[in-house]
Amino acid sequence: MQLFHIFRNTPLGRETLLQSIYFCNKIGASPIVYIPKFLKFLMYFENDVVQIDLDPSYLANPDTALKHADQLLEETGEKPKFFNPKNFTAATLPDVPTNFDFMCCPRSISDLSCKIGLGYIGPRVRRIVKSAHFPVLITSPAYKPWHSIAVLFGGSSNALNALRLGFRLKRLSNLPLEVFTQSEKESRDFYDAVIKAEGIGKEMDQYVTQWHIFDQGRFEHNLYEIPHDALVILGAYGHGLIRDFIFGSKMEKMQSEILNNFIIVGPNYRARN
Amino acid sequence: MDGKSDLKRWRHLANFSIFRSDDRLLLIFIGIIVGICSGIAAVVLNRSIFTLFDLLYSVYHYWWTFLFPAVGAALSSLFLEKIINEGAGHGVPEVVYSVSRRGGLLRLRSSYSRLISSCLTIGSGGSAGPEAPVVMSGAAIGSNIAKFFFLNDRQRITLVGCGAAGAISSIFNAPIAGMVFTIEVILGEWSAVNIIPIAIASVAGTEISRLLQGNQIAFSHHKFNIDFTDIMASIGLAVFAAAASILLTRLLKSMRQLSGQLPSPIWLRAATGGAAVGIIGLYLPVTLGEGYHCIQLTIEGLFEQGLMIAALATLAKIFATSLTLGSGGSGGIFAPCLVIGSLAGLFYHRGLVLLWPTVSWVNEGCFALLGMAGLISGMLQAPLTGIFLIVEITGGYEVILPLIIVSALATTICHYFEPASFYLKDLVERGQLLRPGTDAKVLTDLSVLELLETDCISVKQNMLLRDFINIVKKSHRNYFPVEDQETGHFLGMVYLDDIRPYIFDPIMYDAILLEQIMDSEVEVAYTDDDLFDVLRKMDKNQLFSIPVVQNNRFLGMISKATLLDKYRKELIVQTTHRCF
Amino acid sequence: MVLTIPEIAKCFGLSSNTVERWIRQGKIPIQRRNNSCIFNQSILEKWAENHHMPFEMTVENTGNELKYPVENLLAAMKRGRVFYNPDGTDVGTILQAAAFLIPDLKSNVKQKIYEKLVEREKLTSTGIGKGIAIPHPRICLSSIKESLITTCFLKKPIDFAAVDNEPVFVLFILLSPTVKTHLQLLSRLSFCLRDVSFVEFLKNCPSEDQLLTIIADFEKQFEKSNSF
């Protein structure tokens, strides 16, 4: 398993890389670090090509970037692996492959880091989430270790994928797994039926330590129940552009409320075992 | 399944049951839409260049007009770099790259960026052509329409072709040239499944252009009486045209290198180039813009200046084009090629008349046409495109014989000096030109993971030979990966061939540990390696199989035997055109 | 029809990665929706034929039957039974008597087996030394449904032209329908016979039950090492 990380040679980038390394250690993956040499790159997905324009801080101090990244990676004990683009769409436009198992994104890639506020997920990160068949790790602003896994499960197909990923990470890391559901209209039976229909009832019993179902209270308030040191897995909700624009997505709402590390499972995620 | 995706399902056109088995109708239908869209894009660009050029050069007798191309080029490169933020490339190579390697995926922004930037460059007087930007836009429109309908790679590539064909057909009012150009340059593959939608898209593009601009043949038709001497003379013209195209290619390249070395920001570089073009334009206005007007003059025999001016104009146009494009202006080489070709043809004709005044040569318009075909064929190394384009834009069929000779010869001569055409040179240099059905394409498509054989039994380094022999009995392979007892890391391989002397000797059974007989310095391949490199590694070390390792863990073996099997299947799938 | 990618990959004998790529590239007439593939079986079969691909819908069978069952020595010996003191004074007559002792076979088959055994003996003796012989036909007999080993203890040892020239006192007539089972049984039997104490035990002309108990012990050993 491999996690793709774009290194930003700034203190903020250090926090992000530390977070990626922590994640990799927990689940036994190995990080692949890309130290960008151009501000742009393309990611070719199955039915989309996404151009990612990095903000200029990614290219700051190119002389020390390799050294810094090397230092951080060396502490893991494994030989650091760096990614060098082999293919170029145009001379200054490298292609980044998309066959990784995870990708780490800060909350925003293209905008200046000073503009990154809570509850903001940049448009490029969204687009990656939307097209990618790998889940995206969105790190907390500062390095924050976690000791359990929390899956937000709302019954949709993306949420089911999030749940499957939760099982997989649970198997890999052997940390306690909790499931949180904010029930809006349906009763618990509905969720049980969904789980059963997907044939993951056995895993549900085997892996999940506790399943919290909130049938009252507002979503934001109930978020307090999620442990502060948990890795939160949630499905990206495939809202349309307009709905996103006016109401903001649940993804953003979550982001603005809790500072945990997130793994976001997009609509094109392919479950692996 | 939530309701949301049910709503979106209509976009999965290819999943409708009528198209599932046969998508030809679907492709033709979407091809028409793509052809129309790219046709409109071409007309819009053509018109706006025309308008802008007219507007600016109503005042062109003033000396300061040389600044127009400078401002235009600077604005155009700023637009591409800062507003659209597109890694500015030439356009056509990007389309070919995407077709050969990425299933025709192109960015949405490419569908309009080049239109605006090239309008700025060319409209302000820069010497470049609108065709490459239009091809890029048309291709990107096709690609994005395919993306919208969730079509697969093959269908998307066809639609990219439709876009390019529609654009070229529309801009020249020449459907066959559009089709041939697409197939010869963009797709590189002749197959019925592709040709039909592309032909239809060419028709749609041409029709749109005729509706909007009227059915005008780009250059009016003249009757030429071609004698045997003219055909002989065309051989000389081919050499001449080839020389001109080689000069243009080389100049473009060195100009690009030169401007790349300047430490100034890109918009300043573009402005410098533009200003230089403007200065040339002050003395020789024929070099400015895309130059269709100049072509008109030469064909009709109205280019009045003498022999030396024609020679000078040819050289000046070559310089102006390499300055504009090399310094970062946006546009293609198609139209400049036509201009250079026509001027070169003219010059050649006048030279002939001067040398052999007694021979009755066909008029100089004919030689201008032949020169155009020669340059197109030489630069693009696409002889058929050159032939069909000239036949179509002049509406004359009499020139076909010398046309074929010039095109074929110019292509051959240019190929001798420049092995790859102008559009494909970058790709060939990077090894990225992958035409369907070639070895490189098959090897790129197959990945290490697809060839992996995972039925190897792995062993631990401190296993006794006795235990190992029991494993050998069960296994049906000759290779055994050795993994570390604790970490599971890959340590090396045990080859049955190496240990044959020991395995029949029971005394050794308890005396030897696998650690002692394993080969720990084996060549390994990694999952993200290109198959091409893996094969080279195997050939170099004369291996028939090689272990694949990821994260220090053994994943499986790749062997040439499996490779042959998969390679053959891949080749069949790539080259057999589908009849379900 | 709807199947998953791994299932389709199995039908074609390809890797899932390849099938996934072909679907993406539109080289194979399959549409994809989420994790399942939709296709028309007859179209896909035709496609496979046109592209010279093997295609077999074997989704229901999970492939366990592919493994050959390991031939059990104990069962074969039970089927073949144990006999004592067949008539005869030389190799030919002893073999004839022994062949006709083999249970559950028609007499014409027994006659044929006898001829084959003699033919094999003419080639080289099947006496493997230490007074033991394993007569068997050279070519596997199709008329035999299940492999069997018929054990015959002789009244008095006879000259069998064995490798060590020792007179033979026991015959294990080995019959099997396929070469593979023949080799498996032969390998297991010879493993037992390599054991010196087992040979001594045989010399005492044990009863059928005694013999089978010992063989059962050997079988357990084989199970444990899981070899052969």
Side-chain angles (χ1 to χ4, degrees):
Chain A
M1 280 185 303
Q2 296 176 314
L3 174 134
F4 183 66
H5 183 101
I6 306 161
F7 182 62
R8 192 196 305 243
N9 189 18
T10 60
L12 178 74
R14 177 171 58 196
E15 301 293 325
T16 332
L17 182 56
L18 282 171
Q19 198 67 63
S20 282
I21 293 172
Y22 185 81
F23 176 80
C24 288
N25 278 344
K26 282 283 175 198
I27 66 155
S30 66
I32 293 196
V33 177
Y34 173 45
I35 300 177
K37 297 199 175 55
F38 305 102
L39 273 183
K40 295 183 270 277
F41 63 85
L42 292 183
M43 293 183 92
Y44 286 92
F45 294 103
E46 187 161 324
N47 191 38
D48 200 4
V49 45
V50 179
Q51 176 175 342
I52 290 159
D53 304 298
L54 302 168
D55 77 65
S57 69
Y58 275 98
L59 292 195
N61 301 320
D63 320 327
T64 57
L66 187 65
K67 204 182 89 201
H68 285 166
D70 222 19
Q71 266 172 3
L72 293 173
L73 287 165
E74 225 140 57
E75 286 165 24
T76 63
E78 298 223 354
K79 213 172 124 221
K81 270 180 94 176
F82 292 99
F83 166 75
N84 277 317
K86 279 188 220 150
N87 299 323
F88 288 82
T89 298
T92 58
L93 198 59
D95 301 346
V96 167
T98 52
N99 55 359
F100 302 106
D101 302 87
F102 298 96
M103 176 172 170
C104 168
C105 287
R107 295 184 178 219
S108 172
I109 290 189
S110 313
D111 297 278
L112 279 175
S113 43
C114 58
K115 276 200 275 178
I116 300 171
L118 285 180
Y120 174 76
I121 296 178
R124 293 294 135 189
V125 178
R126 261 159 210 280
R127 188 112 173 252
I128 295 177
V129 167
K130 204 179 123 202
S131 313
H133 55 82
F134 47 78
V136 173
L137 169 71
I138 295 195
T139 57
S140 56
Y143 173 60
K144 186 173 163 59
W146 38 270
H147 307 291
S148 67
I149 302 171
V151 178
L152 298 192
F153 176 68
S156 70
S157 57
N158 283 342
L160 279 166
N161 279 335
L163 200 55
R164 285 203 187 89
L165 178 66
F167 296 153
R168 184 168 160 222
L169 294 186
K170 150 87 193 170
R171 275 199 303 274
L172 291 168
S173 66
N174 215 6
L175 290 172
L177 171 70
E178 287 176 68
V179 177
F180 294 83
T181 300
Q182 170 81 22
S183 99
E184 276 154 13
K185 291 178 226 80
E186 286 85 1
S187 64
R188 176 166 185 146
D189 296 344
F190 167 77
Y191 295 109
D192 278 335
V194 171
I195 298 278
K196 209 170 162 203
E198 283 295 310
I200 50 173
K202 214 178 89 206
E203 285 97 332
M204 199 72 190
D205 297 336
Q206 190 184 343
Y207 295 128
V208 176
T209 326
Q210 209 181 352
W211 187 0
H212 309 263
I213 298 188
F214 309 115
D215 42 14
Q216 48 201 341
R218 287 180 48 180
F219 177 65
E220 291 89 327
H221 299 163
N222 287 329
L223 286 180
Y224 195 84
E225 298 300 319
I226 297 175
H228 71 95
D229 59 348
L231 172 74
V232 179
I233 305 179
L234 72 161
Y237 293 53
H239 290 319
L241 186 68
I242 296 179
R243 197 166 159 199
D244 239 18
F245 193 64
I246 300 174
F247 304 108
S249 67
K250 208 165 238 179
M251 197 159 91
E252 295 220 325
K253 211 179 256 176
M254 293 275 315
Q255 289 267 321
S256 60
E257 293 290 328
I258 50 180
L259 284 181
N260 297 30
N261 289 291
F262 287 89
I263 288 219
I264 300 187
V265 179
N268 282 323
Y269 170 71
R270 303 232 182 94
R272 295 199 194 185
N273 286 312
Chain B
M1 194 46 60
D2 33 350
K4 187 84 197 167
S5 35
D6 275 338
L7 276 179
K8 272 190 182 167
R9 184 147 300 161
W10 70 271
R11 279 166 59 189
H12 289 264
L13 283 185
N15 280 5
F16 289 6
S17 52
I18 45 164
F19 296 131
R20 188 171 298 152
S21 56
D22 195 332
D23 53 8
R24 278 175 282 190
L25 270 179
L26 175 77
L27 285 181
I28 291 174
F29 175 68
I30 303 182
I32 295 174
I33 304 177
V34 173
I36 291 174
C37 292
S38 58
I40 293 176
V43 171
V44 166
L45 178 63
N46 203 6
R47 287 288 104 194
S48 42
I49 289 177
F50 194 68
T51 317
L52 189 64
F53 196 77
D54 263 11
L55 196 73
L56 292 178
Y57 286 85
S58 52
V59 289
Y60 102 83
H61 41 272
Y62 295 110
W63 65 268
W64 43 262
T65 48
F66 84 87
L67 286 175
F68 284 158
V71 175
L75 280 179
S76 131
S77 71
L78 274 180
F79 174 78
L80 271 190
E81 276 307 310
K82 300 292 172 209
I83 299 177
I84 297 292
N85 213 345
E86 191 171 25
H90 179 275
V92 176
E94 202 175 317
V95 177
V96 178
Y97 171 79
S98 139
V99 163
S100 63
R101 197 133 200 180
R102 301 292 176 188
L105 278 170
L106 287 163
R107 287 164 290 168
L108 180 63
R109 61 184 84 183
S110 303
S111 59
Y112 55 88
S113 62
R114 306 297 162 103
L115 291 184
I116 301 173
S117 67
S118 66
C119 175
L120 286 169
T121 307
I122 305 165
S124 66
S127 169
E131 293 79 13
V134 153
V135 166
M136 175 95 199
S137 294
I141 289 169
S143 167
N144 281 283
I145 287 178
K147 197 156 86 187
F148 181 79
F149 290 119
F150 298 99
L151 299 184
N152 60 36
D153 287 8
R154 181 182 50 81
Q155 295 159 331
R156 199 186 299 119
I157 288 172
T158 307
L159 290 184
V160 165
C162 287
I168 289 286
S169 313
S170 162
I171 207 155
F172 287 119
N173 189 8
I176 301 181
M179 222 170 99
V180 171
F181 171 79
T182 305
I183 289 176
E184 203 171 30
V185 178
I186 306 277
L187 302 185
E189 178 190 31
W190 301 77
S191 72
V193 246
N194 281 339
I195 289 176
I196 292 163
I198 288 172
I200 302 281
S202 301
V203 171
T206 317
E207 198 53 48
I208 268 294
S209 147
R210 288 183 184 174
L211 278 178
L212 296 176
Q213 313 192 92
N215 182 9
Q216 48 182 37
I217 292 177
F219 309 107
S220 54
H221 172 50
H222 291 265
K223 218 162 170 57
F224 302 115
N225 293 312
I226 293 172
D227 287 334
F228 183 67
T229 44
D230 299 314
I231 292 181
M232 291 315 287
S234 64
I235 296 173
L237 180 60
V239 177
F240 197 64
S245 42
I246 292 164
L247 179 66
L248 180 59
T249 315
R250 297 272 159 95
L251 260 182
L252 268 169
K253 196 177 160 194
S254 49
M255 213 51 99
R256 192 162 291 163
Q257 279 168 355
L258 198 70
S259 85
Q261 285 161 3
L262 291 179
S264 52
I266 32 171
W267 63 270
L268 197 64
R269 278 183 230 162
T272 321
V277 175
I279 292 170
I280 297 176
L282 280 183
Y283 299 97
L284 283 165
V286 286
T287 55
L288 292 183
E290 91 273 41
Y292 287 160
H293 181 64
C294 164
I295 301 172
Q296 195 82 44
L297 291 181
T298 51
I299 294 178
E300 293 182 2
L302 299 175
F303 193 86
E304 281 155 0
Q305 288 91 335
L307 174 76
M308 286 327 284
I309 298 290
L312 204 61
T314 314
L315 285 178
K317 184 71 186 173
I318 292 177
F319 263 106
T321 309
S322 14
L323 276 170
T324 310
L325 296 180
S327 67
S330 173
I333 50 154
F334 215 106
C337 273
L338 293 179
V339 177
I340 296 166
S342 66
L343 288 170
L346 198 74
F347 170 72
Y348 182 73
H349 180 263
R350 292 192 179 171
L352 283 182
V353 172
L354 200 71
L355 288 175
W356 292 284
T358 50
V359 183
S360 67
W361 299 103
V362 70
N363 73 355
E364 56 187 26
C366 177
F367 274 88
L369 285 180
L370 296 179
M372 278 153 67
L375 249 105
I376 290 287
S377 315
M379 280 302 275
L380 309 189
Q381 299 194 355
L384 291 179
T385 307
I387 296 168
F388 283 109
L389 183 73
I390 302 304
V391 166
E392 272 190 294
I393 62 180
T394 57
Y397 190 72
E398 304 92 345
V399 285
I400 193 84
L401 290 185
L403 208 53
I404 293 174
I405 291 177
V406 172
S407 290
L409 272 180
T411 311
T412 318
I413 297 169
C414 282
H415 189 77
Y416 187 72
F417 290 97
E418 293 281 338
S421 76
F422 174 72
Y423 285 148
L424 307 179
K425 209 164 64 181
D426 293 351
L427 291 174
V428 171
E429 273 166 17
R430 285 186 276 149
Q432 301 282 31
L433 181 68
L434 310 168
R435 294 303 200 188
T438 56
D439 171 69
K441 175 75 177 157
V442 174
L443 283 185
T444 319
D445 273 4
L446 285 171
S447 69
V448 169
L449 279 178
E450 286 175 44
L451 297 175
L452 212 57
E453 298 160 20
T454 48
D455 52 351
C456 295
I457 304 175
S458 56
V459 291
K460 305 282 181 255
Q461 86 270 39
N462 40 15
M463 186 182 253
L464 279 176
L465 187 58
R466 176 181 296 284
D467 301 325
F468 177 65
I469 279 167
N470 279 333
I471 287 177
V472 174
K473 281 179 188 161
K474 268 185 286 180
S475 161
H476 50 277
R477 302 204 63 116
N478 291 346
Y479 308 100
F480 300 87
V482 184
E483 288 175 345
D484 191 275
Q485 197 118 38
E486 277 114 46
T487 57
H489 287 180
F490 176 72
L491 296 174
M493 298 293 288
V494 175
Y495 294 102
L496 214 50
D497 287 357
D498 294 351
I499 61 162
R500 248 178 251 285
Y502 319 119
I503 52 175
F504 297 109
D505 189 354
I507 302 164
M508 306 288 254
Y509 283 6
D510 295 309
I512 289 185
L513 288 175
L514 285 191
E515 208 167 19
Q516 294 165 293
I517 50 173
M518 76 178 182
D519 182 359
S520 53
E521 280 166 13
V522 279
E523 287 286 339
V524 294
Y526 301 95
T527 44
D528 45 357
D529 278 355
D530 285 337
L531 216 47
F532 194 75
D533 300 329
V534 175
L535 274 179
R536 195 155 47 193
K537 210 183 259 179
M538 286 166 84
D539 286 342
K540 208 175 108 195
N541 299 295
Q542 295 183 328
L543 301 172
F544 280 95
S545 53
I546 191 167
V548 178
V549 172
Q550 186 187 33
N551 296 352
N552 285 328
R553 262 159 242 272
F554 175 82
L555 288 183
M557 299 287 290
I558 286 189
S559 73
K560 285 197 174 169
T562 340
L563 177 72
L564 175 68
D565 177 45
K566 302 272 156 120
Y567 187 99
R568 181 171 161 264
K569 282 181 178 155
E570 186 67 34
L571 199 63
I572 292 174
V573 167
Q574 265 185 24
T575 49
T576 315
H577 279 291
R578 327 183 316 152
C579 28
F580 295 154
Chain C
M1 270 195 83
V2 179
L3 287 179
T4 63
I5 288 186
E7 281 165 346
I8 295 208
K10 204 158 171 205
C11 294
F12 280 105
L14 292 163
S15 92
S16 309
N17 288 319
T18 312
V19 175
E20 206 174 316
R21 182 168 54 78
W22 280 355
I23 295 176
R24 195 183 71 224
Q25 295 180 331
K27 287 177 179 159
I28 188 168
I30 294 178
Q31 259 77 46
R32 184 156 180 186
R33 190 173 293 162
N34 299 326
N35 277 323
S36 53
C37 304
I38 309 160
F39 62 94
N40 181 324
Q41 192 179 339
S42 63
I43 289 176
L44 197 60
E45 272 166 6
K46 196 154 170 235
W47 179 88
E49 201 188 309
N50 282 337
H51 290 78
H52 316 289
M53 299 269 176
F55 177 72
E56 237 178 307
M57 298 278 272
T58 48
V59 185
E60 293 80 17
N61 309 328
T62 40
N64 283 339
E65 66 196 336
L66 281 173
K67 266 188 162 174
Y68 285 96
V70 176
E71 205 52 45
N72 194 319
L73 186 61
L74 184 63
M77 288 186 93
K78 268 186 188 160
R79 279 195 292 271
R81 308 284 310 278
V82 179
F83 300 96
Y84 299 91
N85 311 332
D87 300 329
T89 48
D90 61 353
V91 179
T93 49
I94 290 267
L95 280 180
Q96 187 168 29
F100 279 88
L101 285 172
I102 299 170
D104 304 331
L105 288 176
K106 289 194 194 109
S107 58
N108 60 335
V109 177
K110 288 180 181 175
Q111 179 61 33
K112 203 169 171 206
I113 289 173
Y114 159 68
E115 283 160 16
K116 296 272 176 193
L117 289 178
V118 172
E119 190 187 315
R120 171 68 182 81
E121 282 319 315
K122 274 184 194 150
L123 217 63
T124 32
S125 165
T126 55
I128 58 163
K130 296 182 200 161
I132 297 157
I134 311 177
H136 54 266
R138 193 151 66 114
I139 296 157
C140 292
L141 298 168
S142 53
S143 49
I144 294 172
K145 295 282 167 296
E146 281 181 304
S147 55
L148 53 85
I149 297 175
T150 300
T151 315
C152 292
F153 289 102
L154 305 185
K155 211 184 292 170
K156 64 173 204 245
I158 60 155
D159 180 26
F160 217 83
V163 278
D164 54 358
N165 282 328
E166 285 215 11
V168 164
F169 67 93
V170 62
L171 306 177
F172 294 97
I173 301 174
L174 174 53
L175 301 174
S176 53
T178 65
V179 179
K180 195 165 173 87
T181 50
H182 175 79
L183 288 179
Q184 276 174 352
L185 284 176
L186 193 60
S187 151
R188 289 194 166 198
L189 188 61
S190 56
F191 182 85
C192 301
L193 294 174
R194 237 181 288 156
D195 193 333
V196 182
S197 57
F198 181 65
V199 178
E200 286 304 313
F201 164 77
L202 287 176
K203 277 185 180 158
N204 295 333
C205 200
S207 73
E208 185 165 354
D209 289 341
Q210 278 174 323
L211 178 64
L212 290 180
T213 330
I214 297 279
I215 294 293
D217 285 345
F218 273 114
E219 273 296 335
K220 272 183 206 139
Q221 239 175 300
F222 294 136
E223 297 283 307
K224 222 187 282 166
S225 71
N226 198 18
S227 54
F228 301 107

